[in-house]
Amino acid sequence: MPNAQDNSSQVRRELEDARLRLAEAEETLNAIRNGEVDGLVVAGAEGQQVFTLQGAQEPYRLLIEQMSEGALTLSRDGIILYANQPFAKLLQLPPGRIIGAALRNFVVPADQPALAGLLAAAVGGHASEEVSFRTAADTVVPVRLGLSRLQLGTEALLCAVATDITAEKQRAVDLQQLADALEARVAERIKDLAASRLATLNLMEEEVEARQAADEANRCLTQEITERRQAQAELAQAKALLQAALDCSSAGIAIADAPNGLLRYVNRAGLLIRGAGEAEAVAGVDINQYVASWQLLDLDGTPLKLEQVPLARAVLFGEQNSREFIIRRDEHEDRTVLANAAPIRNPAGQVIAGIVVFVDITESKRMEAEIRQLNAHLEQRVRDRTAQLTAANKELEAFSYSVSHDLRAPLRAMDGYSAALLEDCAGLLDESAQHYLRRIRAGSQRMAELIDDLLSLSRETQAPMRHERVNLTALAGEIGADLQRAQPERTLEFVVAPDLAADADPRMVRVVLNNLLSNAWKFTGKRDGAKIEVGQVAGDEGRVSGEASVTSAPRPPPLLLPPPPLKAPFEIRHPKSSSSSVTTAQGSTWPMPTSSSAPSSGCTPRRSSPARASAWPWCSGSCTAIAAGCGPSPAPARAPPSTLRLGRK
Amino acid sequence: MYAKKTILLVEDNPDDEALVLRVLRKYNLANEIVIARDGVEALDYLFGTGAYAGRDLGQTPQVVLLDLKLPKIDGLEVLRRVRQDPRTRLQPVVILTSSKEEVDRIKGYSFGVNSYIRKPVDFDQFTESVRQLGLYWLLLNEPPPQVLL
């Protein structure tokens, strides 16, 4: 039974379909009646076809068809619903081929994006754009396409107006061509003008250059004139200066022509040296006349010959020379001059003139003579004084010699005859007479020793002082050994400290040490177990003093220390006397210079300290002496008398 | 042949002369002592001139004791002349003087003196000096041969 059922259903479906189609036809008819439809699109075997409803809105249609622009109605997606005749002409297509087609089909590919943007923009209101259409004849037509939204009831469509702007474009092109042509002409004209200007400029430049050259030439000329004037002025100035210098020069200057020797010029000083007035005319005078009139003399007073005159030699022989000579003047004293003359040569080397410069050296000659005389006088005085001193020295030597020879003879007679008396007449003389004779003998012998000491002192002080390093240890050792050799039977302790040295006159120091140690030796002679010690003690300011101390002497040991008054190598102060003195071995005392009157030999007295004295209580006396090279040192009042100290730095 | 031993003492000081003679005689040291009191006398004796003209020059002194400080001609000049003369150039000469001046000693020895003695002031030492001097030159010392004089 299925066929029955199928038929029934098919009938029902066909019925339903017929009903729907009826309803749609009724709705369309109503729309047409109400004027709501302008045309109908009918799908057929030849595609969709639009059928307009004649009579509807005819006036508008006529207007649309009569306008020169293309007018279109579009669906929102760009399908052409209506196109007027002008648009169809624009595209050179029948309207039937246009309506129902998409507008984009007619737009050149390059403007498709512009068309899409235009469609989109037009939905919102109005938009306009230039696009190009391709015609059926495959030509391109530029069009200004304006799109506007067209609201028909609930349906939104687009209406478009396409204006052919080919002519406009052509005009623009023509205009552009005209503008270009104008531009070209303007450019050409400008170029012409520029060329013309350049030519003008060139001309101007040439003119300027010419003018500059003229200026430069002018300037050079002016400068040359100025320079020449300046040179002339300078020359005049130099000439004036030279003239002033010549006039002011204290040296006489004379110029003579060669070879005739005519004087051309003598300056003021030259005339004055001669004693002549400034107004004296000299130019053109023969030098020979001048030599004669000036009375030129050699230094020895003989007249100077022409060929001896320096200027004449310069002129005659072309010789540079100088000479001192005397100018004898009529009413004035002689003047001595020093003249230096030289030839003046031209570029070829020929002597054309001679110049002499002469200086008045009368005063300096006089002073020279005076100085010479003074020197001679001084030398004579020195010689005299030296002779006096030599004579005094000789006298002193003679005196010493005489003393040495003559003073001892009477003493020997006294001693000799006394001895003879004692020997020959002992029986006739009582004890006191014999004692007196012995005293005479003792006195004579002591006197002889004094004389020897004096002579020795005199000899030692005649030699000049010299300072050098002296090894005191070695020196003391030598003297001690000499003393021991002289008296080998003596037994005593002789101690010399090592490394004693002093800056001193070695000869003087030897005398000092010899005297000191001899005395020490002598005054310990009567005692056994004596000790003579040579050492050093620390002094002030880091100095070290040598010390020779004598022990076991029963009484103050008198020492012979003879410092010379003028060249004192050392100095002694006697502690018990306000003035210095030295004690001889025999006990006589000589006055000695004090430290203030002593020359600056750097010698000052030193004494052993009280502590030293207490350490050596049996040393009842000491005497201090310093060798050369020591500075000042205090002199304590309480000091044991007679320790000899040899100081060193 | 025995030759008489003579000493020539050249001394101007009579005291010194007396003292020297005293010592020499005391010790019998001289047969004959000739005294010259100045340089001229000394040279006259030695060269046989003046007061001693014609003297036998073969008799030469054993020694000449010569003082330096003398009238007329001093001792060093006497010595110089003695040494210059071929007859006396080997004559023993001893300077006996008060001086011990360095210059005197240097000159004395450079002029060829045989010995230089200084007269001590102490008469005991003086005596001893002169005694030894006499002993040495008169007894110990052999004089130069006569032929050479």
Side-chain angles (χ1 to χ4, degrees), chain A residues 401 408 412 415 424 452, chain B residues 15-16 22 98 104 118 123:
Chain A
Y401 191 76
R408 293 162 54 90
R412 197 160 46 245
D415 190 62
D424 296 352
D452 279 351
Chain B
D15 292 329
D16 280 352
R22 177 185 168 87
S98 297
D104 285 342
R118 192 192 186 207
F123 189 66

Side-chain angles (χ1 to χ4, degrees), chain A residues 405-421:
Chain A
H405 279 269
D406 298 343
L407 243 56
R408 293 162 54 90
L411 294 173
R412 197 160 46 245
M414 286 161 64
D415 190 62
Y417 289 132
S418 302
L421 266 180

Side-chain angles (χ1 to χ4, degrees), chain A residues 351-372:
Chain A
V351 178
I352 53 166
I355 182 166
V356 65
V357 177
F358 48 106
V359 185
D360 190 338
I361 57 168
T362 310
E363 289 308 314
S364 62
K365 276 277 173 190
R366 186 166 25 231
M367 284 172 75
E368 205 176 290
E370 272 176 27
I371 288 169
R372 214 170 18 239

Side-chain angles (χ1 to χ4, degrees), chain A residues 586-639:
Chain A
Q586 284 72 31
S588 66
T589 302
W590 300 340
M592 296 299 300
T594 62
S595 58
S596 61
S597 64
S600 56
S601 62
C603 305
T604 51
R606 296 186 58 87
R607 302 196 190 100
S608 60
S609 64
R612 177 76 176 154
S614 63
W616 299 71
W618 56 86
C619 180
S620 54
S622 68
C623 185
T624 302
I626 295 289
C630 307
S633 63
R638 291 171 296 124

